[in-house]
C-alpha cells in the first residue's frame, strides 16, 4: 500500500492541465484552502460524485482519561465529518458506478 | 458550497486561468483521490487530512422492515480523518481560541 501525497496530486494536475509544476502546486493549495475556509465558517462543502464535508456541533460531555480513569469534562466543540458519496463508496468496492446518479449539486 | 461554486470561486481568484482548466484541476484532484482509494492506497495531505479505506467484515444484518436476517458481505469504506490544522480551524470559533497563523501551512512550494 502506498501513500499519495501532495507531490503526486501536483504531478497529476501538471500532466492534465497545461500549467507549470509551480502553478499546479499553487492551485492545489488554493483548492484546499478554499474548502477549509468554508468549513471554518461552518459551511458544508458538497463535492458531487465524491462526498460531503460538514461541520457537526458536539455538546459538552464528561469523558474519562482512559489511562488514569479520572473524569475530565469535554467542552462543546465542532468536528468535521466526511460522508463519501454513493459513487465513491461503490468505486472503493470495485463496483460499477453505472446507474448511480452523480448526486446533483443541490442539497 | 458545491463543486460548481468551488470552481466559480477559484476562477474568480485565478482570473488568468479559464474556467474549463479550473474545473479540470478540481476534477483531477478528486479523481486521483478516488482512484488511489480504489487501489487501496491512502492519500495524505498534511494540514488537511488523510483519506483511507477501512475494511468491514461480512456480517449478518437484518432487514429492518421484516426482521429477517440477511447476509451482508465484506466491504470497504472510504474514511477521512481531518488533519490537525483543519481540526483546529474548524473548532476555532467555538473554543474562542484564536489560532494565529494557522493557514494550511505549507512552505511556499518546496
Amino acid at each position: 500500500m502506498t501513500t499519495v501525497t501532495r507531490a503526486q496530486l501536483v504531478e497529476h494536475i501538471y500532466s492534465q492541465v497545461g500549467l507549470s509544476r509551480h502553478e499546479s502546486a499553487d492551485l492545489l493549495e488554493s483548492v484546499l484552502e478554499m474548502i477549509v475556509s468554508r468549513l471554518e465558517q461552518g459551511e458544508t462543502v458538497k463535492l458531487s460524485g465524491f462526498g460531503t464535508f460538514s461541520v457537526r456541533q458536539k455538546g459538552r460531555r464528561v469523558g474519562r482519561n482512559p489511562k488514569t480513569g479520572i473524569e475530565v469534562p469535554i467542552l462543546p466543540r465542532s468536528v468535521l465529518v466526511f460522508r463519501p458519496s454513493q459513487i465513491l463508496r461503490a468505486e472503493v468496492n470495485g463496483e460499477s458506478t453505472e446507474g448511480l446518479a452523480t448526486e446533483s449539486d443541490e442539497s | 458550497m458545491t463543486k460548481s461554486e468551488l470552481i466559480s470561486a477559484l476562477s474568480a481568484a485565478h482570473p488568468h486561468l479559464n474556467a474549463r482548466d479550473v474545473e479540470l484541476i478540481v476534477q483531477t484532484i478528486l479523481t486521483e483521490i478516488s482512484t488511489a482509494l480504489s487501489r487501496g492506497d491512502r492519500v495524505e495531505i498534511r494540514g488537511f487530512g488523510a483519506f483511507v479505506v477501512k475494511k468491514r467484515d461480512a456480517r449478518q444484518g437484518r432487514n429492518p422492515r421484516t426482521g429477517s436476517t440477511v447476509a451482508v458481505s465484506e466491504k470497504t469504506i472510504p474514511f477521512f480523518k481531518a488533519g490537525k490544522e483543519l481540526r483546529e480551524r474548524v473548532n476555532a470559533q467555538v473554543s474562542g481560541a484564536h489560532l494565529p497563523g494557522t493557514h494550511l501551512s505549507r512552505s511556499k512550494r518546496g
Side-chain angles (χ1 to χ4, degrees):
Chain A
M1 184 192 77
T2 56
T3 300
V4 171
T5 62
R6 277 186 169 85
Q8 284 80 31
L9 294 177
V10 168
E11 255 339 274
H12 277 271
I13 297 171
Y14 172 71
S15 62
Q16 292 288 314
V17 193
L19 294 178
S20 68
R21 285 200 168 81
H22 183 102
E23 271 184 302
S24 302
D26 280 351
L27 262 296
L28 173 61
E29 290 318 304
S30 196
V31 170
L32 296 173
E33 180 53 37
M34 204 153 277
I35 294 172
V36 175
S37 67
R38 297 303 182 102
L39 293 170
E40 208 173 12
Q41 289 157 35
E43 208 180 304
T44 294
V45 177
K46 294 171 83 85
L47 303 173
S48 73
F50 187 73
T52 303
F53 294 94
S54 55
V55 178
R56 200 169 279 173
Q57 309 298 327
K58 299 277 196 172
R60 188 198 150 93
R61 66 187 170 90
V62 177
R64 204 175 271 279
N65 179 327
K67 196 174 276 180
T68 61
I70 297 168
E71 283 189 359
V72 279
I74 296 175
L75 300 173
R77 65 208 160 102
S78 301
V79 295
L80 182 80
V81 286
F82 173 68
R83 204 179 128 73
S85 72
Q86 285 303 315
I87 294 178
L88 182 56
R89 283 167 195 259
E91 274 185 19
V92 159
N93 281 289
E95 291 162 12
S96 154
T97 52
E98 247 173 86
L100 288 177
T102 13
E103 70 249 62
S104 53
D105 268 356
E106 97 277 357
S107 62
Chain B
M1 182 170 72
T2 62
K3 189 167 26 175
S4 45
E5 287 163 0
L6 172 65
I7 292 164
S8 322
L10 282 165
S11 298
H14 300 273
H16 61 292
L17 296 177
N18 65 48
R20 191 165 291 177
D21 282 346
V22 173
E23 189 172 350
L24 183 56
I25 290 165
V26 171
Q27 203 48 59
T28 300
I29 296 169
L30 299 180
T31 304
E32 184 47 25
I33 297 173
S34 307
T35 312
L37 293 176
S38 310
R39 288 193 302 257
D41 288 347
R42 61 182 266 132
V43 180
E44 187 178 321
I45 305 168
R46 287 283 160 88
F48 186 75
F51 293 91
V52 294
V53 288
K54 290 190 169 182
K55 216 188 97 195
R56 294 279 178 264
D57 288 334
R59 61 187 170 87
Q60 290 296 318
R62 261 174 206 285
N63 179 330
R65 187 170 297 181
T66 63
S68 57
T69 49
V70 279
V72 179
S73 51
E74 171 187 294
K75 61 185 167 191
T76 316
I77 316 254
F79 183 83
F80 175 72
K81 185 176 193 301
K84 186 161 182 272
E85 281 181 40
L86 177 53
R87 226 180 313 134
E88 287 172 349
R89 285 179 65 180
V90 162
N91 196 32
Q93 310 118 303
V94 172
S95 58
H98 277 281
L99 301 155
T102 33
H103 252 236
L104 270 190
S105 73
R106 216 247 141 165
S107 50
K108 253 305 188 188
R109 171 80 202 147

